[in-house]
Amino acid sequence: MTTPLQNDRLLRALRRQPVDVTPVWLMRQAGRYLPEYRATRARAGDFMRLCQTPELACEVTLQPLARFPLDAAILFSDILTVPDAMGLGLSFSEGEGPRFARPVRSARDIEQLSVPDPEVELRYVMDAVRLIRRELNGQVPLIGFAGSPWTLATYMVEGASSKDYAQVKGLLYDQPKALHRLLEVTTQAVIAYLNAQLAAGAQALMVFDTWGGVLTPRAYREFSLAYLARIVADLAHKTGDERAPVILFTKGGGAWLEAIAATGCEAVGIDWMVELGEARRRIGDQVAVQGNLDPAVLYAAPDHIRQQVTEVLTDFGPGPGHVFNLGHGVQPGVNPEHVRVLVEAVHELSKPYHSGVGR
Amino acid sequence: MTTPLQNDRLLRALRRQPVDVTPVWLMRQAGRYLPEYRATRARAGDFMRLCQTPELACEVTLQPLARFPLDAAILFSDILTVPDAMGLGLSFSEGEGPRFARPVRSARDIEQLSVPDPEVELRYVMDAVRLIRRELNGQVPLIGFAGSPWTLATYMVEGASSKDYAQVKGLLYDQPKALHRLLEVTTQAVIAYLNAQLAAGAQALMVFDTWGGVLTPRAYREFSLAYLARIVADLAHKTGDERAPVILFTKGGGAWLEAIAATGCEAVGIDWMVELGEARRRIGDQVAVQGNLDPAVLYAAPDHIRQQVTEVLTDFGPGPGHVFNLGHGVQPGVNPEHVRVLVEAVHELSKPYHSGVGR
């Protein structure tokens, strides 16, 4: 576990320290667009077994790193493992849509929830983290992650993916105190889960607030951001070591970047609906920014991918504090060779923005 | 057609003139949440027939007005009638998802598109507008509408609703000139269609840019906003009459309100992700603003609906220039009595914001 890190670009960029080239990793870099992922997934039988078998989770985590010169690995798992460990009974139906057998619908349901012990109910995740760290052997850092309490709550209350959030927003507008109790226990679960990932070896953390952007500004501050801030504040600092950087990402949260940056996180994830130069001007003096290529660019021809990479790099401009990523996950229909073009283009085309940094 | 308008609150508010109470209408106020709509829809057999039969389109347009003291009617139709008239072959499958038999996939497909004559291929819409105006008999104004060229293009290229816009964004990033040709012919079709609605009796117009918010800022300006501006500029002013106000609505376009307002439109629709006071500060000296209650509030109990109405009215503050609406359409699962609570609350609770205006 103490193998020195051979590539620390990600951690340096997240701390806004100089780097030789802009580090790049991609949300869902391990996923259905890779034939080797689909093969492992088929071997696992179902998606939950893939998440719950540390050897298989490790295998798919490492698959994109074997193909592309990525600067980070991200734990392969699902944000819904936490509510599953809270007793909601997660399964994935055809098309991989999540479903909870016991969704949370009433104040009484909420009272019965408790915080799982990450080394018991979520032991399989911690074993995967330990195994991945061992297998990575210092090649690149490992990012751990969790869903935001609000985002988890949407699934816990709706019981599945939702188009209009009727149930959870009904709770929000009708019984805000009950929703706060749900978010409180979920926040405690997320903090314990992320701290356990750090203890198991995660070197950076990301919190995915996938559905924060469906809230009004007032509701976002009260029901999502407040809990993101709690998570950032309550993560365990390692003694005698630098804090593992925390990246917060609210999809559709472009209006609230300043408030997200003010939580004390090290970096803010940016979707493609915000121009990266604007994001930098607004929050770049406090945090690193991660993003923000439109994932659909990966459907375009290689020349056009390189051109769009150039635009993102130009938007951010010279100097440290940028982690290249998509504005959302790699889509399943993408040609893996296009991902290679993207990753190589970031390293090649970002050199001029880091001149003077010898490595 | 020359019956004087008995309730001109909407038109006055859109022109930022004083009103006695804030006018209110709701996107999808005629729709599946109403049992009488579902009955007419069942009688029509399928959704296209409902749109294409002027008597039925008129009937459902008027249904919410028979129930609630709304300040406007909006033509019942679908944004996809325009590409259907361009020859793409629209149908609605189960669950009312749209589908085109002949989606646009290549530059060659695009070259073959032409601008339909609204009084021929879309005669059924114009007949509906004329019939609704007659039946309304000056009770409230009638709003006509169209989809934005970009939003129509997403359906025309994908052939159906899309989750990731792979095809149309592939075109955007790979063959931008071909996409511009598609947007050009669609823009001409939309302009002809809206001008025909004005000639048939529409008293205000709204352009729905439902999917502008999935674009990057740069792509939004180039592929959606530029065409919205063209539409606003090219609509026929009536001689000897005030121009029919035009409302532009880009869902997810909160970052671009200034640019939308600068097109010359009379009003900008605001989704619930922007605080209305902020919207007013940013663009309220140029245009009226319409919105922006979270549609999910209609799932809450009446007291909570009234409280949320108060918040929206407070956010906007006193004075003219506000049209109350949701930030998106009424959802099918909503209790119609909750809509009544909302509409009545707007009139009752907005009075103090318009003091001094006697009627």
Side-chain angles (χ1 to χ4, degrees), chain A:
Chain A
M1 297 289 276
T2 51
T3 324
L5 199 51
Q6 294 149 42
N7 174 347
D8 64 352
R9 280 177 193 138
L10 175 82
L11 299 182
R12 291 183 61 84
L14 289 173
R15 292 177 178 129
R16 295 186 295 138
Q17 296 164 348
V19 286
D20 59 339
V21 296
T22 302
V24 54
W25 70 277
L26 305 178
M27 290 186 266
R28 292 215 196 105
Q29 64 188 23
R32 278 187 284 164
Y33 77 103
L34 288 175
E36 59 270 36
Y37 169 87
R38 296 193 297 270
T40 311
R41 168 89 173 64
R43 201 144 46 84
D46 80 7
F47 181 78
M48 275 307 280
R49 189 176 310 232
L50 183 54
C51 293
Q52 290 176 341
T53 310
E55 292 71 23
L56 297 180
C58 176
E59 184 177 311
V60 295
T61 298
L62 300 178
Q63 283 168 348
L65 295 158
R67 273 185 182 253
F68 316 122
L70 292 156
D71 296 298
I74 180 162
L75 167 68
F76 183 86
S77 190
D78 191 274
I79 61 169
L80 300 183
T81 54
V82 169
D84 181 61
M86 293 167 87
L88 275 67
L90 177 63
S91 63
F92 285 81
S93 51
E94 263 176 77
E96 299 199 353
R99 191 161 296 279
F100 284 118
R102 294 170 289 283
V104 168
R105 284 287 158 82
S106 65
R108 193 157 164 272
D109 290 345
I110 293 167
E111 295 311 326
Q112 291 176 343
L113 295 171
S114 62
V115 176
D117 182 337
E119 282 290 358
V120 179
E121 287 91 343
L122 291 158
R123 172 82 187 230
Y124 62 89
V125 176
M126 304 312 143
D127 286 344
V129 170
R130 286 182 278 263
L131 183 58
I132 297 163
R133 272 299 302 272
R134 208 155 53 229
E135 293 291 319
L136 275 173
N137 198 27
Q139 184 190 340
V140 293
L142 174 62
I143 304 168
F145 74 92
S148 77
W150 160 254
T151 296
L152 296 180
T154 65
Y155 291 98
M156 294 166 80
V157 174
E158 301 290 339
S161 296
S162 172
K163 241 181 94 170
D164 58 10
Y165 306 94
Q167 306 281 345
V168 69
K169 284 194 168 181
L171 202 60
L172 187 156
Y173 289 115
D174 262 342
Q175 302 182 57
K177 282 181 188 170
L179 180 56
H180 276 303
R181 283 195 298 273
L182 172 58
L183 292 166
E184 175 62 36
V185 64
T186 306
T187 299
Q188 290 174 21
V190 167
I191 291 168
Y193 182 61
L194 290 175
N195 277 332
Q197 289 186 43
L198 286 177
Q203 290 147 298
L205 295 173
M206 180 153 169
V207 183
F208 289 87
D209 186 28
T210 315
W211 301 125
V214 306
L215 292 168
T216 67
R218 192 176 279 120
Y220 175 71
R221 287 191 296 272
E222 181 176 342
F223 296 98
S224 187
L225 184 64
Y227 295 96
L228 291 173
R230 275 273 305 284
I231 292 168
V232 173
D234 287 3
L235 288 176
H237 295 239
K238 289 192 195 167
T239 42
D241 200 346
E242 274 188 294
R243 176 184 157 105
V246 179
I247 311 161
L248 297 185
F249 176 52
T250 293
K251 185 159 175 281
W256 312 315
L257 298 185
E258 291 83 353
I260 300 169
T263 58
C265 63
E266 276 72 15
V268 175
I270 312 283
D271 62 32
W272 66 94
M273 285 80 91
V274 178
E275 196 265 317
L276 211 56
E278 184 200 320
R280 186 182 194 180
R281 279 190 297 280
R282 286 167 58 191
I283 59 171
D285 57 342
Q286 302 163 66
V287 292
V289 302
Q290 174 177 285
N292 71 343
L293 190 73
D294 181 351
V297 168
L298 287 169
Y299 292 118
D303 276 2
H304 294 123
I305 295 172
R306 288 174 60 88
Q307 179 192 323
Q308 295 294 323
V309 166
T310 301
E311 291 200 352
V312 170
L313 292 169
T314 308
D315 285 346
F316 185 83
H322 180 209
V323 174
F324 200 103
N325 206 316
L326 304 178
H328 199 45
V330 182
Q331 293 169 1
V334 159
N335 178 342
E337 281 311 301
H338 288 199
V339 173
R340 173 188 311 285
V341 169
L342 165 64
V343 173
E344 291 179 352
V346 173
H347 287 158
E348 177 196 334
L349 301 171
S350 68
K351 276 203 191 81
Y353 293 100
H354 304 282
S355 54
V357 181
R359 282 168 64 100

Side-chain angles (χ1 to χ4, degrees), chain B residues 46-53 78 81 84 90-92 124:
Chain B
D46 79 7
F47 181 78
M48 274 309 277
R49 190 175 311 232
L50 183 54
C51 293
Q52 290 177 340
T53 311
D78 192 274
T81 53
D84 180 62
L90 177 63
S91 63
F92 285 81
Y124 62 88

